[in-house]
Amino acid sequence: MAKITPRPMVRIHNIEANEVIDREMNDDEFAKYQEQQAADKAAADAKAKGEADKAALLARLGLTEDELKTILG
Amino acid sequence: MATTTNYGWTTPDDTALVKDGASAIRTLGTSVDTSVKSLNPGTTAGDVDYYTSATAKARLAIGTTGQVLTVAGGVPSWSTIAAGAYTSLATGSLSGSTTSITGFSSAYRDLYIRVVSPKVTTTIVNPRMEFNNDSGAKYIYCNAYAGDATTRANNGTGTTPVNYAQGTLGNTVANSDTWFIYIPEYSATDNVKIWQAKQATYAAGAGNTYNLVQDGMYMSASAITTVRLFLGSQTFNGGSYTVFGVK
């Protein structure tokens, strides 16, 4: 039998009724959550790649980041 | 004639004659009726009754829309909130991967949310804020970030982060975080809402202390009825908030 992983929880606080509901994400919320996760991972990957490319370029040039800043003024 | 202990209602003596019974019952009933009415002086829906002594009550007529109950001269009364005054509407705790605060009264002009010591299950996270569960491309923001390790400015679109910087909100760090979120005219139906947010973080270790100020806009004509605070793929592990209405 396949193990069902619980979905992330959400809290909804209706301050007019002073009512707090804790429940698992519904389908729509979970779809958005997964989209967000994918977008976050893509952004993190792009940032990491940019840092790596920059470091590789500096290494090829034989410069440090501070030295490059000095050159660029 | 004998009387009762608390309200002094007149009752027949043990030796009273049976022929006086009807009169005695009527006297007692009238006394009870008077006492009960004095204990329930309200006459109109929304009235509030309050004690003026250990055994007597008075009626406080319902106030007008937006008034709050206060105390003046030792008794309750209705008071109109002065313009600019902050009224605490609710407090709560952050929980789950998203916490939505909803049910804002339209009796206020602005909304102010103060979040204290938000904690997450990892050390690096970008807290985000969304209105009306609207994840559309309706958010534009710019921010300025000044920390003990770096200073920079950013701008962007999309579902806006309260904190665009890599905040150290982790529960493994003894931090002291505060977020201020101010949303003026949140009930207006103009085509755009503006908001301001500020985050201050103090924590041990280089790069863990910083100040972030942010301005943003939400391009929607709908009144803001829900503010959702969330962490992308992370989960809140502590923190509390207070919602204020501003007149």
Side-chain angles (χ1 to χ4, degrees):
Chain A
M1 193 170 174
K3 184 180 177 185
I4 300 173
T5 304
R7 291 181 176 182
M9 296 294 290
V10 299
R11 169 165 288 185
I12 301 169
H13 182 183
N14 184 324
I15 65 172
E16 188 174 30
N18 196 25
E19 180 183 60
V20 175
I21 297 172
D22 290 316
R23 61 164 172 76
E24 285 189 4
M25 286 184 172
N26 61 31
D27 291 346
D28 184 48
E29 290 165 342
F30 190 57
K32 287 180 183 174
Y33 174 80
Q34 289 180 311
E35 280 177 23
Q36 190 69 61
Q37 275 191 314
D40 286 352
K41 184 176 185 311
D45 290 348
K47 185 178 177 184
K49 184 176 183 310
E51 296 288 335
D53 290 348
K54 183 175 161 185
L57 183 57
L58 287 172
R60 277 170 48 200
L61 295 171
L63 295 171
T64 65
E65 190 165 353
D66 287 341
E67 289 168 339
L68 181 64
K69 282 180 182 172
T70 302
I71 291 170
L72 295 175
Chain B
M1 295 280 270
T3 57
T4 61
T5 303
N6 293 310
Y7 291 100
W9 298 332
T10 301
T11 58
D13 292 326
D14 293 341
T15 56
L17 297 174
V18 172
K19 71 182 179 61
D20 296 328
S23 173
I25 290 170
R26 187 165 54 251
T27 300
L28 176 61
T30 299
S31 298
V32 170
D33 182 70
T34 300
S35 295
V36 169
K37 179 56 187 170
S38 71
L39 292 173
N40 298 279
T43 60
T44 309
D47 285 355
V48 175
D49 297 342
Y50 64 94
Y51 282 96
T52 56
S53 70
T55 56
K57 282 184 171 179
R59 167 185 178 246
L60 175 62
I62 183 66
T64 56
T65 300
Q67 284 191 309
V68 296
L69 199 59
T70 187
V71 176
V75 296
S77 59
W78 294 106
S79 174
T80 300
I81 302 170
Y86 285 61
T87 302
S88 175
L89 303 179
T91 59
S93 301
L94 298 170
S95 180
S97 64
T98 166
T99 293
S100 293
I101 308 169
T102 188
F104 303 130
S105 165
S106 60
Y108 299 90
R109 187 191 64 189
D110 305 339
L111 201 62
Y112 169 58
I113 302 172
R114 178 173 184 250
V115 181
V116 177
S117 298
K119 301 249 190 289
V120 296
T121 50
T122 60
T123 56
I124 303 295
V125 70
N126 291 342
R128 296 184 171 109
M129 177 172 68
E130 181 184 274
F131 302 129
N132 297 348
N133 296 314
D134 186 348
S135 59
K138 300 177 182 176
Y139 303 88
I140 298 175
Y141 65 88
C142 60
N143 65 35
Y145 169 100
D148 60 349
T150 185
T151 298
R152 62 173 179 251
N154 295 301
N155 60 67
T157 60
T159 303
T160 186
V162 170
N163 166 24
Y164 183 77
Q166 286 77 23
T168 306
L169 306 178
N171 58 358
T172 57
V173 179
N175 57 29
S176 176
D177 268 45
T178 302
W179 305 343
F180 290 168
I181 303 164
Y182 198 90
I183 310 167
E185 305 285 357
Y186 64 98
S187 292
T189 52
D190 303 329
N191 288 328
V192 65
K193 309 288 186 304
I194 58 174
W195 55 268
Q196 292 182 310
K198 177 175 175 61
Q199 180 188 4
T201 290
Y202 172 77
N208 291 339
T209 296
Y210 57 86
N211 174 52
L212 176 82
V213 292
Q214 190 167 62
D215 280 297
M217 59 190 283
Y218 170 52
M219 294 173 287
S220 170
S222 300
I224 292 174
T225 57
T226 300
V227 173
R228 186 167 80 96
L229 303 173
F230 63 110
L231 301 167
S233 56
Q234 307 298 327
T235 300
F236 285 118
N237 196 29
S240 61
Y241 55 86
T242 304
V243 181
F244 296 89
V246 185
K247 276 287 182 177

